[in-house]
Amino acid sequence: MKTPTATDIIIFGALGDLSLRKLIPSLYDLEKDNLLPEGSRIICLARQRMKNADYLNKAHQNLEVHVEPERFEAQTLNRLSDRISYIELDFLNAEHYPKLAKALEDKPHQQRIFYYATAAEFFGSISEQLNTHQCITKDCRVVLEKPLGFDRESSTAINFQVAQHFNEAQIYRIDHYLGKETVQNLLALRFANPIFGTQWSESSISHVEITIAECVGIEGRWSYFDKAGQMRDMVQNHLLQLLSLVAMDPPDDLSADSIRDQKVKLLKQLKPITQEMQKHTVVCGQYASGNNDVELLPGYNNEEGAEGNSQTETYVAIRAEISNWRWAGVPFYLRAGKRLARKKTQITVHFKQQPHFIFDPEQRHLASNKLVLSLQPNEGVSLQVQTKSPGINNDIQIQPTVLDLNFNKEFKGIRTPHAYERLLLEIIKGNQYLFVRRDEIEHAWTWCDNIMQHWQSPEHVLHKYPAGSWGPSEAEFIIRKDGRQWSLED
Ligand code: BG6
């Protein structure tokens, strides 16, 4: 591991939602744990005219809300504030950049991280300005926030523009799901446990489910979301990242390229979904009004900022297949939806039944195992195994029993860092394994574009579902037709 050196973290879009809700609070947490290298500075850039003190005030207000109360304290706040400086900078205006260049020149040998927390369409122009104003150094890094483009073509164009000024080893494409504890645990579970390593294929696994259920709706981001939709907002990135980590072949080591090579190979093996296949394998939905036991919830088209009768999807379910030896014939059921009944992100791996069953034939259906990786809200891993029902009176009756590893209970007292906290630290250290490589993102787009291109056809249907439910009932169909059902563990 490289030793972190004093770093200038330069945030473009420092007044945006992401910066105030995630980045500054994560920097606070790093500060609290003494993980920000000595001498590091945080340079916050945004268009608004604002005094440093006013920016700090705003940052503090957000920290009070977004930092865990038991970790919030004046000492850390003061140390963090001392590092922060605000510069008014319209990132499209060349005349504003000398201010930034001057601030950076004060400490010419600091490592630099340019964090683009802005819309991706500006990444090219910002990179160009940084180059013109000689802010780019040999070992500086640039962080690109998602969504990177709208489709493969726009994503390739953005990657190309940024690549004019930064090489791939300097580029950190964020997918915050890769910073989540359980996602990394997936690597440990798969590759440090022979019991799973040898069973991880079509010979033992019947099917896999990946669910990302959110109970929140659009949260004031209607105009962004309406252009993107759930496929671009959640499936192209977070869901496909989870899928590739679950299904990829073992990497040779933990280096960024070993892991990313395997992910790319897997993404290329995702079977394209043709228009003909869509009827049976893809379901899109949009939430209508509903309730969540506590309150009435508006439909998507009545959310704050909504315009007109939008046909944008807020829910997608897909039955995916992978064309390789390991996964031949194993369906991967994927779904991601907003305003669902509960927040739950979960990967469920279903193992095949015993080929020969010696117990009560009526219990035949129980003879399998299920591995559940729970990402949120509670992180943990559980394995459902069959045991004998206790007692001496019966013949041997089997019953499902759960071997449960709840991280909160097991590792009590050890705090799980937030995804952005971990990712920021890895960027400072220069480790790229939790970031998405250029070819990876482009192959993910190819698979999604292929599905979305059929959505303009008259045959495409957007199914309404009540807010607070588990999504459109039609999504049951794509799994039921294989004789299965979606599972969700509490
Ligand atoms: C973001 C999406 O990337 O992830 C949001 O843009 C979504 O729409 C969020 O709500 C979900 O993240 P998490 O960590 O809460 O699952």
Side-chain angles (χ1 to χ4, degrees), residues 461-480:
V461 188
L462 184 70
H463 301 279
K464 292 278 182 179
Y465 61 94
S469 70
W470 276 111
S473 52
E474 288 76 6
E476 297 294 325
F477 174 72
I478 60 173
I479 188 162
R480 281 244 170 95

Side-chain angles (χ1 to χ4, degrees), residues 126-336:
I126 299 175
S127 305
E128 203 171 317
Q129 291 298 344
L130 289 176
N131 181 51
T132 308
H133 293 88
Q134 295 168 6
C135 297
I136 299 180
T137 52
K138 189 168 53 56
D139 59 356
C140 72
R141 290 159 204 166
V142 62
V143 187
L144 311 183
E145 259 300 332
K146 70 157 270 279
L148 201 63
F150 184 76
D151 52 17
R152 177 167 177 141
E153 195 183 338
S154 53
S155 167
T156 306
I158 295 163
N159 277 326
F160 176 79
Q161 289 159 7
V162 175
Q164 300 305 299
H165 308 292
F166 296 92
N167 61 48
E168 187 61 27
Q170 294 176 298
I171 302 176
Y172 290 69
R173 294 181 192 82
I174 292 258
D175 184 311
H176 78 273
Y177 269 53
L178 294 180
K180 291 184 190 274
E181 183 80 4
T182 322
V183 173
Q184 288 169 52
N185 231 311
L186 184 58
L187 294 178
L189 200 77
R190 280 198 58 194
F191 304 123
N193 293 289
I195 188 176
F196 296 125
T198 51
Q199 305 298 315
W200 212 257
S201 72
E202 55 75 38
S203 62
S204 301
I205 291 174
S206 70
H207 63 289
V208 178
E209 292 175 63
I210 306 181
T211 295
I212 307 182
E214 295 181 81
C215 45
V216 293
I218 300 308
E219 294 191 298
R221 299 186 307 153
W222 203 92
S223 56
Y224 148 73
F225 187 87
D226 199 57
K227 285 187 212 100
Q230 188 73 348
M231 188 78 167
R232 295 184 177 88
D233 189 51
M234 298 296 290
V235 178
Q236 184 272 339
N237 34 67
H238 306 325
L239 215 155
L240 288 191
Q241 282 298 324
L242 296 185
L243 172 62
S244 28
L245 289 170
V246 171
M248 70 181 186
D249 281 342
D252 291 342
D253 52 42
L254 278 183
S255 70
D257 275 336
S258 291
I259 295 177
R260 300 192 296 183
D261 285 348
Q262 296 303 340
K263 287 200 281 171
V264 167
K265 192 169 112 199
L266 191 278
L267 288 167
K268 283 158 90 174
Q269 291 165 335
L270 272 178
K271 189 167 167 182
I273 296 184
T274 61
Q275 181 161 13
E276 188 43 40
M277 288 159 67
Q278 289 230 11
K279 272 186 258 143
H280 312 293
T281 53
V282 179
V283 170
C284 288
Q286 185 192 74
Y287 62 87
S289 60
N291 67 72
N292 61 3
D293 295 341
V294 180
E295 54 181 344
L296 283 176
L297 302 166
Y300 174 72
N301 282 323
N302 291 316
E303 289 279 17
E304 181 199 333
E307 282 169 30
N309 183 22
S310 164
Q311 293 297 300
T312 296
E313 82 288 354
T314 59
Y315 177 100
V316 184
I318 303 176
R319 180 189 188 281
E321 285 180 46
I322 298 167
S323 303
N324 65 15
W325 289 95
R326 182 185 288 272
W327 297 115
V330 179
F332 284 74
Y333 302 100
L334 318 173
R335 59 180 173 164

Side-chain angles (χ1 to χ4, degrees), residues 331-402:
F332 284 74
Y333 302 100
L334 318 173
R335 59 180 173 164
K338 300 222 183 292
R339 275 276 192 254
L340 298 185
R342 247 179 321 129
K343 182 170 179 71
K344 190 85 193 164
T345 303
Q346 182 175 295
I347 299 167
T348 312
V349 180
H350 297 263
F351 290 86
K352 285 184 173 164
Q353 290 193 344
Q354 284 284 45
H356 177 62
F357 192 67
I358 57 173
F359 302 96
D360 179 354
E362 304 246 316
Q363 293 197 302
R364 178 106 186 66
H365 65 284
L366 291 178
S368 63
N369 302 114
K370 190 161 78 173
L371 176 71
V372 178
L373 291 126
S374 189
L375 274 79
Q376 40 194 26
N378 299 316
E379 304 196 295
V381 179
S382 72
L383 179 66
Q384 185 183 294
V385 295
Q386 309 308 329
T387 55
K388 177 195 165 298
S389 294
I392 54 168
N393 277 341
N394 318 328
D395 295 336
I396 297 185
Q397 290 285 308
I398 57 171
Q399 68 173 37
T401 313
V402 176

